[in-house]
Amino acid sequence: MTKILYSKPLYEEKLKTLKKYSTSNSKLAILRLEENFGNNAYLKGIKSTASKVNLDVVVVDTTPEKAYSDLEKLNDDSSVTGILIFRPIPTSVDEDKLDRLIAPEKDVDCMNPINKAKLYSGDTSGFIPLAPKASIELIDYYGIDVESKNCLIINHSNVVGKPLAMLLLNRFATVEIAHIKTKNLKEHTLKADIIFTAVGKSEFLDSTYFREDAIVIDIAITKNADGRFTGDLNSTDVQDKIQAYSPVPNGVGGLTNLLLIESVIK
């Protein structure tokens, strides 16, 4: 029987701990350059979670022309303790410049090169990108050990794939990264013990991609043809055909919001 790795038990446990902290001197500022489905859903979840611990959240809607100056204002604002930049960022904006500009001590999504270098050197004591961190905390909660396991990540971005690889390597997993230009993806998934996927292609991974003992951590969030929230995994098709998987919704995504709030507070 396939085990479903719901995040709610861990969410409730961590929320109970966070409520013990004072949020009177904490504020999260979100810099948004454009509205889209993914960002709107993310913002809704952030505000819902923040309200449970009385954390102040402000959204700064900006333009490509004002993005750098607005970010500098947030850096200089002593009332702001955490900054999150919503992505994707329009091509007219230099994303690397934004990442370099964000104050490292407020960079809750670990985009500044200083924070990235710290993580890539093996130091996980500081800010860690939220989706990878949520993925690791979820498997830890369910007692899934990655040491010596073949772990495949289907994503090569700076937000998910690369930092997640560092976290897994830190735990002595054998890590492979695939992406949209990987040929014969099925050959790679069938060799993996644990698959972390964040492609954003609704339900395209069916049971033919996995061994029976495979564990799938679905980090993606999208919608299928019926307008229902889904991830990359076809959860109906893999039921009773793989060992375990994290659902969408109620999996990694729900936990990500809470870890964001945790980073701002701590």
Side-chain angles (χ1 to χ4, degrees), residues 29-34 58-78 80 82-85 93 97-98 101-103 106:
I30 298 172
L31 191 70
R32 180 171 63 182
L33 285 102
E34 61 178 34
V58 295
V59 179
V60 178
D61 284 307
T62 189
T63 63
E65 294 76 23
K66 294 177 57 184
Y68 309 117
S69 60
D70 282 343
L71 180 54
E72 287 182 320
K73 289 177 183 176
L74 294 177
N75 284 339
D76 295 336
D77 186 344
S78 60
V80 173
I83 302 172
L84 177 67
I85 303 174
V93 176
K97 182 177 178 179
L98 273 184
L101 190 61
I102 188 171
K106 297 185 180 185

Side-chain angles (χ1 to χ4, degrees), residues 4-12 52 134 138 141-142 217-221 228-231 245-257:
I4 304 178
L5 309 175
Y6 291 108
S7 62
K8 185 176 180 180
L10 176 56
Y11 180 98
E12 295 296 338
K52 296 175 183 177
L138 187 64
Y141 181 77
Y142 283 98
I217 305 301
D218 197 343
I219 306 170
I221 180 166
R228 182 172 57 85
F229 284 108
T230 70
Y245 70 89
S246 66
V248 177
N250 302 316
V252 171
L255 192 57
T256 300
N257 298 332

Side-chain angles (χ1 to χ4, degrees), residues 11 15 19 24 33-34 57 62 82 110 112 129 131 139 152 173 181 197 199 213 229 240 243 245 260-261:
Y11 180 98
L15 180 62
K19 284 182 176 180
S24 59
L33 285 102
E34 61 178 34
V57 178
T62 189
C110 192
N112 185 286
I139 63 173
L152 173 68
K181 292 193 176 182
T197 180
V199 177
D213 61 346
F229 284 108
D240 297 327
Q243 183 182 160
Y245 70 89
L260 169 63
I261 302 306

Side-chain angles (χ1 to χ4, degrees), residues 178-222:
H179 43 73
I180 56 174
K181 292 193 176 182
T182 298
K183 295 181 179 180
N184 303 316
L185 179 61
K186 194 174 292 187
E187 292 182 7
H188 299 272
T189 56
L190 287 171
K191 292 187 297 183
D193 300 306
I194 307 172
I195 299 92
F196 299 82
T197 180
V199 177
K201 186 177 179 182
S202 180
E203 301 178 312
F204 86 100
L205 291 172
D206 59 28
S207 60
T208 64
Y209 279 84
F210 310 111
R211 305 195 313 251
E212 289 185 358
D213 61 346
I215 297 171
V216 182
I217 305 301
D218 197 343
I219 306 170
I221 180 166
T222 183

Side-chain angles (χ1 to χ4, degrees), residues 5-15 17-18 124 126-146 164 167-168 171 196 217 219 246 251-252 254-256 258-260 262-263 266:
L5 309 175
Y6 291 108
S7 62
K8 185 176 180 180
L10 176 56
Y11 180 98
E12 295 296 338
E13 188 176 291
K14 292 183 73 68
L15 180 62
T17 300
L18 281 182
T124 59
F127 290 125
I128 297 174
L130 300 167
K133 185 177 182 180
S135 301
I136 294 297
E137 292 213 10
L138 187 64
I139 63 173
D140 280 350
Y141 181 77
Y142 283 98
I144 299 169
D145 187 6
V146 299
L164 179 54
L167 294 175
L168 292 170
R171 293 166 175 240
F196 299 82
I217 305 301
I219 306 170
S246 66
V252 171
L255 192 57
T256 300
L258 189 63
L259 293 179
L260 169 63
E262 181 182 62
S263 293
K266 289 189 175 181

